Amino acid sequence: MAPRPFWKGYLKLSLVTCPVAMMPATSDRDKLRFHTLNARTGNRVVSRYVDAVSGDPLAEEDEVKGYQHGEDEYVMLEDDEIANVALDSTRTIDIDMFVPDDSIGWIWYDRPHYLLPDDPIGEEAFAVIRDAMAASGTVGISRLVLYRRERAVMLKPRGRGIVLWTLRYGDEVRPEADYFPDEPPAPERRTLRLVEELIDAHMAEWSPDMVRDPVQERLQDIIKAKTRKRRPACRKSAPASDAGDNTIDIMEALRRSIGAETRKRH
């Protein structure tokens, strides 16, 4: 069953407007979640805000956001002050610019959502905007309030719909020049060829099974076993590899690796 839209509004390009619905493209609904319990009673525990100095519990109406600008000094901001700097409209995706599809690096991509027309009458306008972006190799840039924050968003055509990506803020992405040297040393050609052979030997078609969560599966085994009042079967740990010893010659290691892959295939 397809999930219900969590957001409805309008997609707007100049004078062209159409109603749209948005669904998250990913979900962690099936992930295990744990509650904190009192080990003696088995009852759930609750968290409360307390005054860091007096230790007194804090009433909800006394909570206020504060920005620290010195030691034990804060600027207090009221909720309406924060709300007043947000977008006027939280229900319209107004595309105000387009950029080449390949000009936004993957590191800026944050969270994907499926965007679909929400009215048969608006399907043509939606399709025109989507197909024009696909034909021109561009993506749309807009701003939208999502998850209680104003976000820059990117609209990327995909099949019959559009994928709306929230984009990371500028101060969230660290410049790669700080970490990668301008001119990394080039490997020897013969070493490169051996690694290319290893890559060919390990080539496979992409499958979601490649990113399955084994920890989640093991935790589920433990929970099922405890529910049935029996001890879970112990899993043998994989033997520790001698990864710390890097004195072996890389060419020799590559030759052995390729030899092992050749034996597997025969």
Side-chain angles (χ1 to χ4, degrees):
M1 182 183 295
R4 298 178 62 182
F6 85 105
W7 183 95
K8 288 189 175 186
Y10 295 89
L11 177 63
K12 184 174 183 291
L13 174 60
S14 189
L15 300 179
V16 180
T17 305
C18 61
V20 290
M22 189 190 310
M23 285 76 66
T26 60
S27 172
D28 60 359
R29 183 182 59 186
D30 296 329
K31 290 290 185 184
L32 291 175
R33 287 179 171 81
F34 298 100
H35 297 288
T36 301
L37 308 179
N38 183 331
R40 291 194 300 273
T41 65
N43 298 330
R44 287 182 59 182
V45 301
V46 296
S47 58
R48 300 179 65 182
Y49 285 112
V50 297
D51 188 294
V53 177
S54 69
D56 296 332
L58 193 65
E60 185 175 350
E61 60 268 19
D62 292 329
E63 296 174 15
V64 64
K65 292 180 173 61
Y67 174 79
Q68 186 171 3
H69 68 96
E71 186 175 356
D72 296 328
E73 293 183 6
Y74 299 87
V75 175
M76 294 186 183
L77 295 175
E78 301 293 339
D79 288 343
D80 58 351
E81 293 177 305
I82 297 174
N84 286 339
V85 300
L87 288 175
D88 292 335
S89 173
T90 61
R91 291 294 167 187
T92 301
I93 305 169
D94 192 351
I95 306 178
D96 50 16
M97 70 182 72
F98 295 89
V99 299
D101 184 9
D102 58 358
S103 65
I104 303 179
W106 62 267
I107 200 168
W108 293 96
Y109 289 28
D110 180 34
R111 200 167 180 178
H113 308 76
Y114 293 134
L115 194 66
L116 302 168
D118 193 40
D119 186 329
I121 299 176
E123 286 187 4
E124 183 179 2
F126 181 91
V128 166
I129 296 173
R130 176 199 63 208
D131 293 350
M133 287 193 294
S136 60
T138 59
V139 293
I141 302 297
S142 184
R143 303 194 75 85
L144 184 65
V145 174
L146 281 178
Y147 311 110
R148 300 182 181 180
R149 298 180 70 185
E150 181 181 329
R151 310 298 299 260
V153 297
M154 177 187 74
L155 292 90
K156 187 181 182 77
R158 184 177 179 87
R160 296 175 60 187
I162 291 173
V163 176
L164 181 146
W165 281 90
T166 55
L167 298 176
R168 301 186 191 279
Y169 293 101
D171 58 359
E172 292 178 336
V173 176
R174 296 175 177 177
E176 61 184 57
D178 292 348
Y179 303 93
F180 302 144
D182 294 334
E183 297 182 5
E188 294 184 9
R189 182 58 198 165
R190 58 177 184 159
T191 308
L192 203 58
R193 281 197 299 268
L194 290 175
V195 175
E196 289 169 354
E197 286 186 42
L198 274 178
I199 291 174
D200 289 339
H202 286 271
M203 283 294 291
E205 293 293 328
W206 161 254
S207 166
D209 288 338
M210 294 179 181
V211 288
R212 51 188 281 270
D213 187 348
V215 173
Q216 178 100 345
E217 294 170 3
R218 291 169 191 165
L219 285 172
Q220 287 174 336
D221 289 343
I222 293 172
I223 291 169
K224 288 177 183 176
K226 283 180 173 287
T227 303
R228 296 173 186 148
K229 305 298 184 184
R230 61 180 176 82
R231 294 179 63 82
C234 293
R235 296 176 180 266
K236 293 183 178 179
S237 300
S241 63
D242 192 17
D245 183 7
N246 57 4
T247 58
I248 188 170
D249 178 77
I250 188 171
M251 291 294 292
E252 180 61 26
L254 288 169
R255 290 192 185 99
R256 290 183 187 177
S257 299
I258 292 170
E261 293 297 328
T262 302
R263 287 193 294 273
K264 283 183 187 176
R265 283 182 278 181
H266 297 287

